[in-house]
Each structure stands twice: as C-alpha cells, then as structure tokens.
C-alpha cells in the first residue's frame, strides 16, 4: 500500500458567506441522515453535564448531541466569526441557549476544569498543533470528564472517499473535502501525537470513514 504524506490545511476555514451557506446545508443534510458522527459520540458515555464543542462550524453536531444527552449547557469555541454567526442562528432554531465564542482551540478562553465533556467533529485535521489542543482539552475538563474527537482518516479506502465525494455536490466543498482528506491523520500518527500529551491514555478507533478518539481525564 502506498502511503500518502500528509498535506496540512490552513486553520482559516471557510471565509466567504456563499461557501459557508453551502457547508451549512451539507451539515444539516448529514445531520438529517444521521451521518454526522453523533452516534459515535453517544456511545462514548459523555453524560449530561456542561458540554464544550471545538470547531463547531454550523453547530449541528454539538446541538444534536446536547439535545440527545440533555446537556446542562452547550458552549462552542470556533475560530471563524462567520461560522459562529451561523451556529448562533442554528441554536436559536433548536431553541437552545448555546454560547458560541470566537477563539482558538489551541488556547481555549475558559478556566481549568470548566467542562464535564469536550467534543469535536471534523476539525482536528485543521488544527495547526493538535498536541496543544489535546492538552487544552485536558486542562478545561474537570477530573473524570470525558472527551470524544472524531475526524476523517487519510487512509480511508478509496471507494469510501468516492462515496463522500458524490455526497458533496457543491464544487467548492468538493475541493475542500479533498484537501481535508489529505490533511487528515492516520491512527498511528494520532496515537503518536497523543502520547506527547496529557491525554496519552486516549483510545484511538477507526470508524467507517475516519477516526474516533475518546477517553476520560483521570
Ligand atoms: C470542517 S469544519 C467542521 C464543522 C463541524 N464540526 C461539523 O462537523 O460539521 C471545521 C471547523 O473547525 C474550525 N476550526 C479549525 N481550526 C480551529 C481551531 N484551532 N480552533 C477553533 N476552531 C477551529 C473551522 O473554522 C471550521 O468551522
């Protein structure tokens, strides 16, 4: 098997409102089909405490999860102000008082031990220094708090990548999908990164399209 080298992607994310609107529609569709990773997160025994989502984009993953878990509160930390506006609109549609802040997951603007669980979906491959984010997750979790991070996997079978490409009908998003896939990590790469962090006990599991990293702050 030929190993493709990882090609990093910028953290800036989607900047123009038209592409952001397309991403919002796609994320909504994936939520409606139940294909946005919420099911994997639900199996991580996250509990119903204060929930933090990193890189929520339009927010559907955290909103859906908070609704199903009955979370006490939902906070999102997202570096794109455009996405924060969309997430706030979507939270209002859910009738949820979610708090979205513009900020970087690499330097979370929250005190130590503020959350019972931390989740993130599809954002990890964009983080400039994942090691810093994993240590930040550890810092903002209370002892015994849980985390679950899901993302694409660069060594996903080609036929599955084609399936995804067909699902994403908008041209700018297809380009984004290809660069995201190229920037995604493999399970051994992530295991090596996690070993350099305070979340070294995390479990890294391959899923149909990607990876699921879960654990507890001991
Ligand atoms: C591909 S989108 C995924 C959005 C959403 N979680 C989903 O599953 O549909 C990745 C999101 O992560 C955000 N992001 C990337 N790096 C980040 C960082 N260091 N801190 C906070 N947000 C970040 C991007 O702005 C973008 O909205």
């Amino acid at each position: 098997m030929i190993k493709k080298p990882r090609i990093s992607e910028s953290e800036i994310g989607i900047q123009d409102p038209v592409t952001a609107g397309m991403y919002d529609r796609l994320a909504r569709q994936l939520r409606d089909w139940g294909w946005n990773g919420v099911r994997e997160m639900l199996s991580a025994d996250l509990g119903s405490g204060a929930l933090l989502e990193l890189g929520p984009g339009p927010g559907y993953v955290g909103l859906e999860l908070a609704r199903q878990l009955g979370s006490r509160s939902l906070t999102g930390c997202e570096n794109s102000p455009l996405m924060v506006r969309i997430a706030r609109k979507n939270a209002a549609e859910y009738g949820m008082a979610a708090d979205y802040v513009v900020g970087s997951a690499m330097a979370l603007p929250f005190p130590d031990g503020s959350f019972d669980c931390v989740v993130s979906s599809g954002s990890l491959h964009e983080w400039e220094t994942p090691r810093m984010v994993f240590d930040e997750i550890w810092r903002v979790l209370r002892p015994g708090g849980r985390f679950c991070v899901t993302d694409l996997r660069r060594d996903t079978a080609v036929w599955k990548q084609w399936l995804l490409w067909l699902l994403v009908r908008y041209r700018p998003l297809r380009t984004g999908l290809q660069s995201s896939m190229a920037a995604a990590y493999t399970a051994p790469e992530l295991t090596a990164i996690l070993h350099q962090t305070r979340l070294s006990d995390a479990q890294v599991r391959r899923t149909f399209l990607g990876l699921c990293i879960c654990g507890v702050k001991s």
Side-chain angles (χ1 to χ4, degrees):
M1 184 175 157
I2 301 165
K3 272 203 186 155
K4 285 193 198 151
R6 180 173 180 267
I7 304 168
S8 56
E9 205 181 31
S10 110
E11 271 200 336
I12 300 168
I14 298 172
Q15 288 297 305
D16 73 287
V18 176
T19 313
M22 289 178 192
Y23 189 83
D24 181 39
R25 283 198 292 282
L26 173 69
R28 183 179 284 248
Q29 182 74 80
L30 293 175
R31 177 210 53 192
D32 293 345
W33 288 337
W35 287 4
N36 61 358
V38 166
R39 220 172 304 143
E40 268 137 26
M41 289 184 176
L42 284 172
S43 64
D45 203 10
L46 297 171
S48 58
L51 171 66
L52 169 66
E53 183 177 20
L54 307 179
Y60 297 111
V61 172
L63 287 165
E64 197 55 36
L65 201 57
R67 190 178 65 79
Q68 295 201 35
L69 291 170
S71 302
R72 192 169 71 233
S73 64
L74 171 62
T75 305
C77 178
E78 163 61 58
N79 64 2
S80 157
L82 183 59
M83 281 301 178
V84 164
R85 279 204 296 277
I86 295 175
R88 285 182 182 147
K89 178 181 71 62
N90 290 332
E93 211 175 275
Y94 266 74
M96 265 189 212
D99 181 19
Y100 293 104
V101 298
V102 177
S104 171
M106 293 196 297
L108 291 169
F110 309 110
D112 300 358
S114 326
F115 296 96
D116 298 293
C117 58
V118 180
V119 296
S120 183
S121 140
S123 183
L124 157 65
H125 65 273
E126 294 182 13
W127 301 341
E128 195 181 315
T129 314
R131 186 176 41 79
M132 284 173 72
V133 181
F134 289 125
D135 277 333
E136 279 294 84
I137 293 176
W138 184 90
R139 183 184 67 75
V140 300
L141 271 177
R142 64 155 175 83
R146 291 181 176 261
F147 60 92
C148 186
V149 175
T150 60
D151 201 8
L152 296 169
R153 176 162 51 85
R154 195 167 77 253
D155 54 2
T156 296
V158 174
W159 71 268
K160 293 181 185 175
Q161 297 189 29
W162 269 103
L163 190 71
L164 256 186
W165 194 82
L166 288 173
L167 274 178
V168 179
R169 283 168 302 145
Y170 310 109
R171 192 186 289 248
L173 297 187
R174 280 185 165 172
T175 313
L177 173 67
Q178 281 168 331
S179 60
S180 296
M181 200 49 104
Y185 294 90
T186 62
E189 286 168 352
L190 260 180
T191 304
I193 292 171
L194 283 158
H195 276 138
Q196 300 167 30
T197 76
R198 304 191 88 151
L199 298 183
S200 55
D201 289 345
Q203 188 193 67
V204 179
R205 190 163 51 79
R206 289 180 182 82
T207 59
F208 182 71
L209 285 172
L211 291 168
C212 182
I213 303 125
C214 292
V216 186
K217 173 174 175 176
S218 50

